[in-house]
Amino acid sequence: MLADAATDSGGTRSGGTVKATPQATAQTAAHITGTDLAAVVAVPAAMSVAPLLPVAPTGFAARCTRALLSPWSRLSLLLVLLAGAASTVLLFHPQRLLSDGWPPQLGGAMAALVFAAAYGLCSVAFVPRPLLNLAAGALFGSQLGTGAALAGTVLGAGISFGLGRVLGQDALRPLLRGRWLKAADGQLSRHGFRSMLAARLFPGLPFWGVNYCAAVSRMRWTPFLLATALGSIPNTAAYVVAGARASSPTSPAFLIAMTCIALPALGGAVVAWRKRHHLRAQ
């Protein structure tokens, strides 16, 4: 009966051993393989679905967080900070440093460091740098005043660049649609060091405006700070020397300083006049 059953199922009997036909073997292997693969694949698939479906936070707190971190909310915070800084400057009148002098309890290098920190904060609050440079020369002389003014210049530029990059870039970059705006953005993004060096050498451009334009562009930190430090030396030193020698306006040092102030301004105006057609064509 066993032999008949084996024979009926398609196998042959030889020496007590049942041999299956190739067709039956293939069907059995295919059935086993398919079952095993389905079992093996099912477990990782079930395990991998859960991490791919994160649950988004909901509720009033989550909506408030998203609203506060949105680009326009950060831009509004930047405007509030700048308005508050400008209002503080108007209340404290930093120009009184030229008439009242530095506090007597501070002197030497420590006074220069404190002045550099105040210089940086005042430049962020839209205080004109020529006024601060004149104050540095009048308070500390040509050499120490130049060092303090340059340190304050780089500090103020770095603070403005950081505020503009973190709080304003995401909101303002989609607004760069005009031809002039796109040309300026492309120039600052592709040629950061060269463009910033030229902007610092020409005193006609507002310091705070250049800082925030660079922050909105894709310029990196290193070329921005390096070009600011190098490009601000001539103009800053000229104003500091003029402030240090203001008591003797006919002295050669004062006249040379005023010449160094006037010539770059004239050169910047000429270059801007010649480049206007190139910017319009872009």
Side-chain angles (χ1 to χ4, degrees):
M1 293 177 64
L2 293 174
D4 295 339
T7 303
D8 295 338
S9 61
T12 58
R13 181 179 178 183
S14 176
T17 303
V18 178
K19 295 183 179 181
T21 61
Q23 182 179 3
T25 303
Q27 293 176 355
T28 304
H31 174 73
I32 295 175
T33 303
T35 304
D36 293 342
L37 288 176
V40 171
V41 171
V43 175
M47 295 175 61
S48 61
V49 170
L52 296 179
L53 298 175
V55 179
T58 57
F60 179 76
R63 291 194 297 269
C64 290
T65 301
R66 288 194 298 268
L68 291 175
L69 296 179
S70 64
W72 286 103
S73 296
R74 285 180 285 160
L75 179 62
S76 301
L77 176 60
L78 175 61
L79 296 178
V80 169
L81 290 176
L82 295 179
S87 301
T88 303
V89 167
L90 293 177
L91 291 176
F92 283 95
H93 302 289
Q95 64 270 19
R96 290 184 299 181
L97 288 175
L98 293 175
S99 58
D100 300 341
W102 198 249
Q105 60 270 22
L106 293 176
M110 181 57 66
L113 290 176
V114 175
F115 179 84
Y119 186 114
L121 295 176
C122 288
S123 64
V124 175
F126 310 111
V127 176
R129 285 184 62 247
L131 176 63
L132 297 173
N133 293 331
L134 292 173
L139 294 173
F140 304 105
S142 299
Q143 297 180 357
L144 189 59
T146 301
L150 285 175
T153 297
V154 177
L155 176 62
I159 294 175
S160 299
F161 187 84
L163 289 175
R165 178 60 56 89
V166 174
L167 299 178
Q169 187 186 43
D170 293 339
L172 293 178
R173 280 204 65 82
L175 302 179
L176 301 178
R177 300 175 181 176
R179 186 170 50 188
W180 280 56
L181 293 177
K182 288 183 178 180
D185 176 66
Q187 187 71 18
L188 290 173
S189 300
R190 292 191 300 269
H191 311 287
F193 179 82
R194 184 177 66 187
S195 301
M196 187 53 53
L197 185 63
R200 298 308 187 193
L201 288 174
F202 298 153
L205 298 177
F207 181 74
W208 60 270
V210 174
N211 293 336
Y212 290 111
C213 287
V216 175
S217 71
R218 301 189 186 279
M219 182 184 296
R220 294 180 290 111
W221 278 88
T222 301
F224 172 77
L225 294 177
L226 185 59
T228 297
L230 295 177
S232 300
I233 291 176
N235 184 260
T236 302
Y239 274 101
V240 171
V241 172
R245 301 301 178 92
S247 58
S248 55
T250 58
S251 63
F254 182 83
L255 295 177
I256 292 174
M258 295 304 296
T259 303
C260 293
I261 293 173
L263 287 180
L266 180 60
V270 172
V271 171
W273 179 263
R274 295 182 62 182
K275 289 290 186 179
R276 72 189 191 284
H277 299 295
H278 178 70
L279 291 175
R280 289 176 181 176
Q282 291 183 351

